Amino acid sequence: MRSILDDIFPCFVAGKAVASSTTFDVTNPYNNEVIAQVAQVTPAETEQAIQAALEGGEPLSRYRRYEILNAARDLLLERSDAFARLICAESGICLQETRYEVGRASDVFQFAAMEALKDDGQIFSCDVSPTGKARKIFTLREPVKLISAITPFNHPLNQVVHKLAPAIAAGAPVLLKPSEKTPLTAIRCAELLYEAGLPGWMLSVLLGPLDEVAKTMVTDPRVELVTFTGSVNIGKQIAHEAGYKKVVLELGGNSPLIILDDADMDLAVHLAAEGCFRNSGQRCTAVKRLLVHENILAEFTQRFVERAAEYVVGDPAEEQTRVGTVIDEAAAMRLESVVNDAVAAGAKVLLGGERRGAQLSPTVIADVPRDAEMVVCESFGPLAPIMSVRDIDDAIELANATDFGLSSGVVTDSLDHALRAVKGIRTGTVNINEVPGYRIECSPFGGVKDSGLGIKEGVIEAMKCMSNVKTFSLPF
Ligand code: NAD
């Protein structure tokens, strides 16, 4: 892989690199250095990308899709260090996390390659009712004609691969618009896919003014599916603007970790710290609220503060760092401000709270009022607000007292409590004795309420959205 400072990072129109003179800068959030310029596409180039995708080319056999995805996985593993360093440089997320992310993305390619070989077609015999005929109805899947995929900054590689790999496995062409905050990894990922054998018409990477590029990708009637991962406000705006087409929305979260008084305390402390602070707290499924049974509140709080202090904050590119920056200084300042507001309303900062530029140290806050902005809205950073709950019913009620419904975790030794939580919490996922974010890359994933429309992602579910079922019947 070339050095990140070698040249201007291009966009790609149907596999062809386009590098106009209009560029924007990508900066390292840790030291504010400009690490690269990215070329923007013109509206005419966006139109060329759409036309090339619709014109298409030789459809890829299942085996060819499998080969391309496997080759992409191999190339990614060969370049894993360079990808981890690039994600780290443009996002400020520490190397320990970005290495983990590259591993996840390689899983996505692997699972998508496996799924490309499978056919989920069904056969229905029609002579199963009094009026039935001697016919059979068959199903097959056809790829949608064109997908617009729009991704956020917080997993610059994995979010992109979660859109592209299932699309390739399903045989559907994609226009990708990664986040302007972290476009470099996405561009290198596209190059890797072309190198793995992906035909140009199957993928374009478009960056430019939102009112030109993103708006066209959302509103153009030739686009059959818009798949968006990002914040609630933008997701709802896209739902409004997209018109008559499929829309998949994977939006924000406000995940609770409920810790009951029958919990294994070591496990609870471990899961709370991992859930709150990994990826600088910038996972849609990061723990955003610790709901702790009042009987164990004091012991948990003391042990959790000790554990949180072990998370080394520092230069994201240093091997020992466990918490890098958040995405930029403005985001860190917003987090600082919600902490200050909670303190003004009676909360106490037990650890952290110090900000240096885009870096906020892991911050543990106790006695957080239930209506504090920090716990009502999504606080996308390493904040750990602790709230006391009386019992399982109070915990479930508080877990549900949010507009979000992405994921949740419960730490308990009681099967009864576990089952009540699974039934009672209104989120797309409930993990018992695990962090809310636990998943594998091919299991169904997605939220309800403001976190999403209940349409799942994960390789298998995403492939279903990226294709349409056709039925045909034959007289036999
Ligand atoms: P964001 O909504 O600000 O941006 C996401 C993408 O949308 C970016 O590519 C951005 O350029 C683009 N965009 C912005 N305005 C647009 C418009 N008007 N039309 C079309 N596209 C537009 O989100 P972000 O700050 O990059 O990411 C963080 C958010 O993403 C958090 O809320 C997080 O919870 C959420 N997220 C959700 C999931 C999930 O699977 N549910 C996963 C990761 C992140």
Side-chain angles (χ1 to χ4, degrees):
M1 187 185 281
R2 295 191 300 267
S3 147
I4 55 174
L5 287 169
D6 266 353
D7 48 13
I8 293 177
F9 278 60
C11 282
F12 288 98
V13 172
K16 186 166 152 275
V18 291
S20 67
S21 53
T22 317
T23 61
F24 65 92
D25 291 345
V26 179
T27 43
N28 179 324
Y30 181 66
N31 54 24
N32 286 323
E33 276 173 21
V34 174
I35 49 175
Q37 273 92 41
V38 176
Q40 306 195 38
V41 287
T42 60
E45 286 163 340
T46 301
E47 175 59 25
Q48 280 168 25
I50 294 174
Q51 285 185 15
L54 292 174
E55 209 169 286
E58 186 69 28
L60 302 174
S61 69
R62 286 177 185 275
Y63 187 68
R64 187 71 195 117
R65 290 177 242 159
Y66 163 85
E67 278 186 324
I68 292 167
L69 289 161
N70 262 338
R73 177 172 187 264
D74 291 346
L75 287 172
L76 180 59
L77 290 175
E78 266 171 34
R79 297 171 191 175
S80 58
D81 188 59
F83 266 97
R85 288 182 190 282
L86 183 57
I87 302 170
C88 173
E90 68 175 341
S91 70
I93 296 166
C94 69
L95 264 183
Q96 291 189 17
E97 295 296 343
T98 61
R99 292 218 164 92
Y100 182 73
E101 178 170 346
V102 173
R104 288 185 64 189
S106 76
D107 281 356
V108 179
F109 278 131
Q110 182 181 16
F111 292 141
M114 288 156 55
E115 291 305 315
L117 297 179
K118 293 184 191 161
D119 190 333
D120 68 354
Q122 293 172 292
I123 303 174
F124 298 84
S125 291
C126 299
D127 59 348
V128 292
S129 80
T131 53
K133 292 186 176 175
R135 297 184 69 81
K136 288 192 197 306
I137 297 173
F138 302 80
T139 70
L140 59 83
R141 280 188 184 275
E142 294 180 332
V144 298
K145 292 280 175 240
L146 182 56
I147 297 171
S148 286
I150 302 177
T151 53
F153 71 78
N154 66 314
H155 286 298
L157 178 65
N158 201 37
Q159 293 295 349
V160 165
V161 175
H162 259 290
K163 307 287 187 202
L164 300 186
I168 295 166
V174 182
L175 309 175
L176 171 71
K177 198 208 77 59
S179 169
E180 294 72 23
K181 293 173 183 166
T182 56
L184 308 181
T185 309
I187 290 168
R188 289 289 181 254
C189 179
E191 287 172 350
L192 177 151
L193 281 164
Y194 299 131
E195 206 177 321
L198 188 71
W201 62 270
M202 283 284 289
L203 175 62
S204 289
V205 183
L206 307 174
L207 285 144
L210 287 174
D211 58 352
E212 291 173 9
V213 176
K215 198 168 180 80
T216 304
M217 287 173 58
V218 169
T219 57
D220 193 293
R222 292 168 294 178
V223 171
E224 216 173 323
L225 162 69
V226 178
T227 171
F228 171 82
T229 302
S231 62
V232 173
N233 287 348
I234 306 292
K236 287 188 173 177
Q237 189 181 330
I238 286 174
H240 181 68
E241 291 177 350
Y244 187 72
K245 53 172 70 84
K246 286 195 202 185
V247 181
V248 174
L249 300 171
E250 301 295 344
L251 309 181
N254 191 12
S255 300
L257 183 70
I258 295 173
I259 300 167
L260 295 174
D261 59 353
D262 54 19
D264 172 331
M265 185 60 80
D266 290 339
L267 180 66
V269 168
H270 170 72
L271 295 178
E274 291 287 284
C276 288
F277 305 133
R278 288 197 57 184
N279 227 56
S280 300
Q282 297 173 124
R283 290 184 76 175
C284 51
T285 52
V287 172
K288 296 289 163 216
R289 299 176 290 154
L290 291 165
L291 313 187
V292 184
H293 195 289
E294 58 192 13
N295 291 350
I296 54 162
L297 183 65
E299 185 192 353
F300 170 81
T301 304
Q302 188 210 325
R303 291 193 50 190
F304 178 61
V305 169
E306 286 165 12
R307 179 62 61 87
E310 293 170 9
Y311 281 69
V312 180
V313 187
D315 182 344
E318 298 277 344
E319 294 291 345
Q320 76 276 11
T321 298
R322 290 176 78 183
V323 182
T325 68
V326 292
I327 190 61
D328 53 30
E329 183 163 8
M333 288 168 74
R334 267 196 304 282
L335 293 165
E336 201 178 28
S337 139
V338 293
V339 173
N340 291 340
D341 289 351
V343 169
K348 294 186 196 69
V349 174
L350 303 182
L351 181 81
E354 301 95 26
R355 184 181 68 79
R356 196 184 66 87
Q359 193 151 46
L360 188 74
S361 52
T363 302
V364 181
I365 316 109
D367 299 334
V368 177
R370 292 186 175 199
D371 61 353
E373 185 185 343
M374 179 195 297
V375 286
V376 171
C377 302
E378 182 184 37
S379 301
F380 215 50
L383 304 186
I386 303 175
M387 290 184 281
S388 157
V389 292
R390 290 184 300 279
D391 52 29
I392 176 86
D393 295 319
D394 188 33
I396 291 173
E397 193 180 324
L398 186 53
N400 286 338
T402 170
D403 291 337
F404 298 89
L406 190 57
S407 197
S408 54
V410 184
V411 196
T412 178
D413 265 359
S414 153
L415 183 59
D416 177 48
H417 286 157
L419 292 176
R420 281 169 65 188
V422 168
K423 287 184 187 162
I425 300 178
R426 195 149 181 256
T427 50
T429 295
V430 182
N431 285 329
I432 305 300
N433 290 340
E434 249 305 346
V435 289
Y438 182 78
R439 62 184 287 200
I440 55 171
E441 311 301 326
C442 57
S443 59
F445 172 80
V448 293
K449 296 161 73 180
D450 272 2
S451 297
L453 296 171
I455 301 170
K456 297 281 189 186
E457 279 200 335
V459 169
I460 298 170
E461 294 297 312
M463 283 176 68
K464 290 180 188 164
C465 291
M466 292 169 169
S467 54
N468 292 318
V469 173
K470 177 179 273 181
T471 58
F472 63 98
S473 69
L474 294 174
F476 82 99

